[in-house]
């Protein structure tokens, strides 16, 4: 009798928690390993994802966030995401109309639009050639190196700049040194980091000193267009909106990218603007708080 009363008492104590806590199952997210070698490009993105999930834990419940144990090329990422039994259920990438049709985007630029500010990795001996570039017309005499299927490809093609596509991220550095193209377009935070990580392996490579290319190129989280994906997108969007409002996103942005931005001295460079012919009408260009302008620091 005593044990029965104790059991009833415990149940009564737990009842308020059961009534007030949402019965969400744990959220499981697996994102891709993008390279078998050095690749720090996505460290910030996954930190943003984790923070967004943490912000929404009281409402949506606990979560687990893991990286896949198999390196995946961009086409492999799409292939895995296309299958409901694929090894990943989220990825982050520069947007395109094709990606937005195939998958569900969270239309908040993860890196505040920094991806669209581009520095150039070049062969150091070519710096004088680039110092003479003043316009898109001048840029058309040089060959851009980009990855196959990257969102930048139609931007340079629209501008009339010749494009040489490489099949792998790592291979593009070797292609630059081998004179296969003249410059490797990298985001402002990527160029310095990649130079630091790879200058010993590629001693001819240098960061171009005078130019800054700019084109709008949002980087979004993408999930599947199914019930799970819809819930994930809703949760991530809610978390990121909270981060934008309370300053958490800017704090992470400065922690991961602040020093690199300062070291590029972008405000002292000649800016060449290129149009992005592939932006969708849903791109939130009018929300100024979502976008960082390195020329003003805000």
């Amino acid at each position: 009798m005593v044990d029965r009363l104790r059991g009833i008492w415990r149940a009564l104590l737990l009842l308020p928690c059961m009534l007030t806590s949402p019965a969400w199952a744990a959220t499981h997210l697996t994102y891709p390993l993008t390279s078998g070698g050095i690749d720090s490009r996505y460290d910030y993105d996954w930190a943003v994802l984790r923070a967004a999930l943490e912000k929404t834990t009281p409402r949506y419940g606990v979560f687990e966030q893991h990286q896949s144990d198999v390196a995946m090329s961009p086409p492999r990422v799409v292939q895995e995401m296309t299958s409901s039994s694929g090894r990943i259920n989220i990825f982050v990438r520069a947007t395109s109309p094709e990606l937005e049709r195939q998958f569900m985007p969270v239309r908040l630029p993860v890196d505040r639009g920094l991806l669209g500010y581009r520095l150039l990795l070049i062969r150091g001996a070519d710096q004088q050639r680039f110092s003479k570039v003043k316009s898109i017309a001048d840029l058309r005499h040089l060959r851009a190196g980009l990855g196959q299927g990257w969102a930048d490809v139609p931007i340079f093609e629209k501008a009339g700049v010749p494009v040489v596509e490489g099949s792998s991220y790592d291979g593009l550095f070797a292609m630059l040194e081998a004179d296969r193209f003249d410059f490797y377009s990298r985001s402002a935070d990527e160029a310095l980091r990649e130079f630091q990580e790879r200058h010993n392996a590629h001693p001819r490579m240098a960061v171009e000193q005078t130019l800054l290319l700019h084109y709008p190129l949002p980087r979004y989280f993408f999930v599947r267009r199914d019930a799970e994906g819809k819930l994930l997108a809703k949760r991530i969007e809610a978390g990121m909106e909270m981060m934008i409002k309370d300053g958490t996103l800017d704090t992470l942005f400065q922690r991961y990218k602040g020093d690199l931005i300062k070291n590029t001295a972008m405000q002292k460079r000649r800016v060449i603007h290129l149009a992005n012919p592939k932006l969708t009408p849903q791109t939130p260009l009018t929300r100024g708080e979502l976008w960082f302008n390195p020329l003003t620091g805000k």
Side-chain angles (χ1 to χ4, degrees):
M1 183 68 178
V2 173
D3 289 341
R4 182 181 178 186
L5 289 173
R6 286 175 178 169
I8 294 172
W9 179 245
R10 289 194 190 98
L12 289 172
L13 287 175
L14 289 173
L15 184 60
C17 296
M18 295 170 63
L19 292 174
T20 58
S21 298
W24 296 110
T27 299
H28 298 273
L29 292 108
T30 304
Y31 57 88
L33 172 65
T34 53
S35 174
I38 300 172
D39 191 357
S40 58
R41 290 176 293 169
Y42 300 93
D43 292 352
Y44 162 79
D45 303 316
W46 306 131
V48 170
L49 178 62
R50 179 169 293 279
L53 296 172
E54 288 172 348
K55 289 282 185 184
T56 53
T57 295
R59 180 177 177 183
Y60 288 92
V62 298
F63 68 92
E64 295 181 5
Q65 178 178 325
H66 304 286
Q67 188 175 59
S68 67
D69 55 4
V70 176
M72 300 181 185
S73 65
R76 174 72 180 278
V77 168
V78 171
Q79 180 183 354
E80 292 284 345
M81 284 289 294
T82 302
S83 169
S84 60
S85 60
R87 303 186 189 196
I88 59 172
N89 60 353
I90 189 169
F91 68 103
V92 63
R93 189 173 295 180
T95 192
S96 70
E98 295 76 19
L99 284 177
E100 292 187 29
R101 283 194 296 267
Q102 190 170 10
F103 304 108
M104 186 175 295
V106 178
R107 287 192 179 92
L108 296 170
V110 179
D111 67 348
R112 305 187 62 203
L114 185 63
L115 188 66
Y117 290 89
R118 313 294 290 187
L119 299 185
L120 311 180
L121 293 177
I122 65 171
R123 294 176 293 276
D126 289 345
Q127 178 59 60
Q128 188 173 0
R129 294 176 64 194
F130 285 87
S131 296
K132 297 176 181 178
V133 174
K134 311 292 183 183
S135 65
I136 294 177
D138 296 332
L139 201 62
R140 291 174 183 145
H141 298 289
L142 300 163
R143 299 163 298 165
L146 298 167
Q148 288 180 352
W150 286 7
D152 312 59
V153 173
I155 295 174
F156 282 95
E157 290 179 339
K158 176 70 174 178
V161 178
V163 173
V164 177
E165 296 184 55
S167 60
S168 76
Y169 165 66
D170 289 318
L172 283 158
F173 297 96
M175 290 175 68
L176 173 64
E177 270 207 322
D179 299 347
R180 297 281 300 281
F181 49 79
D182 300 306
F183 67 89
Y184 187 6
S185 173
R186 309 303 297 140
S187 72
D189 62 313
E190 289 172 335
L192 290 183
R193 185 178 67 249
E194 290 169 342
F195 172 75
Q196 293 165 359
E197 292 173 347
R198 291 174 167 81
H199 71 275
N200 288 334
H202 303 285
R204 296 180 65 202
M205 185 172 70
V207 179
E208 200 282 326
Q209 297 297 308
T210 63
L211 298 174
L212 178 67
L213 308 185
H214 176 246
Y215 39 83
L217 189 61
R219 184 184 189 85
Y220 296 149
F221 290 118
F222 288 91
V223 294
R224 291 191 182 96
R225 286 191 174 277
D226 57 17
E228 179 195 52
K230 184 177 181 179
L231 184 61
L232 285 176
K234 186 176 180 180
R235 176 172 184 169
I236 294 165
E237 181 177 5
M240 288 187 67
E241 290 284 11
M242 294 168 68
M243 293 170 68
I244 292 163
K245 186 175 181 179
D246 68 14
T248 305
L249 184 64
D250 185 60
T251 298
L252 273 177
F253 182 82
Q254 293 297 334
R255 181 187 306 165
Y256 278 83
K257 302 181 183 294
D259 288 342
L260 289 167
I261 291 171
K262 290 176 184 177
N263 291 337
T264 61
M266 282 184 272
Q267 69 279 7
K268 297 180 181 179
R269 293 171 174 266
R270 286 192 306 283
V271 182
I272 297 178
H273 296 280
L274 285 73
N276 185 346
K278 294 287 190 174
L279 283 183
T280 64
Q282 296 87 354
T283 307
L285 295 174
T286 59
R287 290 188 61 185
E289 76 276 17
L290 302 183
W291 306 91
F292 176 73
N293 184 344
L295 303 181
T296 63
K298 297 180 181 178

